[in-house]
Amino acid sequence: MNHIPYILNAAYCDTEKVLNILSLAKSNNDNYKTVCDLISNNKIKIPKLYRSIIMKLLRITPVTKKIVGEEFNNWLKSFLHTEVNTYVIIPDIAKRDYYDVLKFLKDGRGHISNRQNRLLADQCIYGYYLEIFFHHHCEERNKGNTNQTFKEIIEETFNITDTYGRVLQWVGRLWHEYKNIEKLSISIHRLYSHRTQIENLFKLYPELANDWKEPVTPTLNNIEDSLNNVNL
């Protein structure tokens, strides 16, 4: 009866496979390049336990396929939810006064904890007003009304890191034009990691970008125009 644990046998087989790969790779330059190419294109499967160290040893940069266009749009839509409940109370700031926005951002900080099971609505709204505050703050500094940098004020007053602040501002700008972003159930940092793909989607595929804009509410004039265009 074989008492050798299965996991030990599996580890031995994986190690033997890795040694064979390394042996082939070190035999000559041509084989080294061939092995690297095959690993990069997943033609040679490295056991999971050894994959990271082998990639480093052979100096292989992982090849990642970035989806674009309609394929990426469909992937992004897979995180959409129809109902949005916001926890941030949007202030009635007619003139968007510097100190009113400052108070809103300071009071609303607790609502934007980065939780993946919540929609992005709160962070979109907060980020939008943070972007507004950024421009107000630049004006105040130019007038000599404050010596604090924007980084200092968001870290000291809002308890937000500069990096997180930039992410919030980006999603706020995005949300201002594409309101349906707020319905995404995805972490803001994961969304930001796809920033280039998202910006390219909205820039290069306007027909797909329209899906992310707030739907136009029909008005009486719109309805009358539609009726007038109908051929009876």
Side-chain angles (χ1 to χ4, degrees), residues 104-113 126 157-161 164:
F104 163 72
L105 292 171
K106 187 176 180 180
D107 295 344
R109 172 63 183 90
H111 295 297
I112 58 167
S113 56
Y126 194 93
T157 306
F158 308 146
N159 195 28
I160 294 173
T161 64
Y164 187 33

Side-chain angles (χ1 to χ4, degrees), residues 79-112:
F79 296 95
L80 272 176
H81 285 244
T82 54
E83 295 184 7
V84 176
N85 295 316
T86 59
Y87 296 87
V88 172
I89 300 174
I90 303 175
D92 182 14
I93 306 172
K95 296 182 180 179
R96 292 171 180 167
D97 177 79
Y98 176 82
Y99 293 101
D100 287 339
V101 180
L102 174 67
K103 184 178 185 304
F104 163 72
L105 292 171
K106 187 176 180 180
D107 295 344
R109 172 63 183 90
H111 295 297
I112 58 167

Side-chain angles (χ1 to χ4, degrees), residues 210-224:
N210 286 334
D211 293 342
W212 295 91
K213 293 183 177 181
E214 198 169 33
V216 177
T217 304
T219 63
L220 182 59
N221 290 335
N222 289 338
I223 295 171
E224 288 177 348

Side-chain angles (χ1 to χ4, degrees), residues 13-15 17-18 21 45-52 54:
C13 291
D14 286 348
T15 303
K17 180 178 181 179
V18 168
I21 292 170
K45 302 290 184 182
I46 303 294
K48 187 176 180 180
L49 182 65
Y50 291 98
R51 184 165 181 80
S52 178
I54 293 300

Side-chain angles (χ1 to χ4, degrees), residues 5-186:
Y6 167 78
I7 193 169
L8 188 60
N9 280 324
Y12 179 85
C13 291
D14 286 348
T15 303
E16 190 174 37
K17 180 178 181 179
V18 168
L19 287 173
N20 288 335
I21 292 170
L22 291 176
S23 178
L24 179 62
K26 77 180 185 67
S27 58
N28 58 60
N29 287 335
D30 289 337
N31 284 344
Y32 171 77
K33 292 177 181 177
T34 300
V35 168
C36 289
D37 287 341
L38 291 173
I39 292 174
S40 295
N41 293 292
N42 289 320
K43 298 293 178 63
I44 292 180
K45 302 290 184 182
I46 303 294
K48 187 176 180 180
L49 182 65
Y50 291 98
R51 184 165 181 80
S52 178
I53 191 170
I54 293 300
M55 298 291 277
K56 288 179 181 178
L57 282 173
L58 299 181
R59 298 177 182 176
I60 300 172
T61 303
V63 176
T64 55
K65 178 190 174 186
K66 287 194 174 182
I67 57 175
V68 295
E70 190 168 358
E71 188 180 1
F72 178 73
N73 190 52
N74 290 335
W75 175 83
L76 199 59
K77 279 186 172 182
S78 68
F79 296 95
L80 272 176
H81 285 244
T82 54
E83 295 184 7
V84 176
N85 295 316
T86 59
Y87 296 87
V88 172
I89 300 174
I90 303 175
D92 182 14
I93 306 172
K95 296 182 180 179
R96 292 171 180 167
D97 177 79
Y98 176 82
Y99 293 101
D100 287 339
V101 180
L102 174 67
K103 184 178 185 304
F104 163 72
L105 292 171
K106 187 176 180 180
D107 295 344
R109 172 63 183 90
H111 295 297
I112 58 167
S113 56
N114 184 32
R115 287 164 45 192
Q116 194 160 349
N117 61 341
R118 277 242 310 256
L119 303 188
L120 285 177
D122 292 345
Q123 291 163 317
C124 288
I125 295 168
Y126 194 93
Y128 173 65
Y129 279 95
L130 189 63
E131 177 71 3
I132 290 173
F133 181 75
F134 170 74
H135 293 286
H136 276 314
H137 186 73
C138 290
E139 291 176 4
E140 292 296 310
R141 273 181 63 88
N142 290 336
K143 293 175 183 176
N145 294 335
T146 179
N147 293 323
Q148 278 186 303
T149 64
F150 183 69
K151 178 181 178 181
E152 288 172 343
I153 200 166
I154 66 170
E155 289 182 348
E156 295 172 11
T157 306
F158 308 146
N159 195 28
I160 294 173
T161 64
D162 182 50
T163 302
Y164 187 33
R166 291 175 188 273
V167 174
L168 285 167
Q169 284 179 263
W170 173 79
V171 82
R173 291 193 299 269
L174 195 69
W175 170 80
H176 181 57
E177 188 169 357
Y178 304 100
K179 286 294 191 292
N180 284 331
I181 289 293
E182 70 179 23
K183 299 176 183 177
L184 289 173
S185 177
I186 185 174

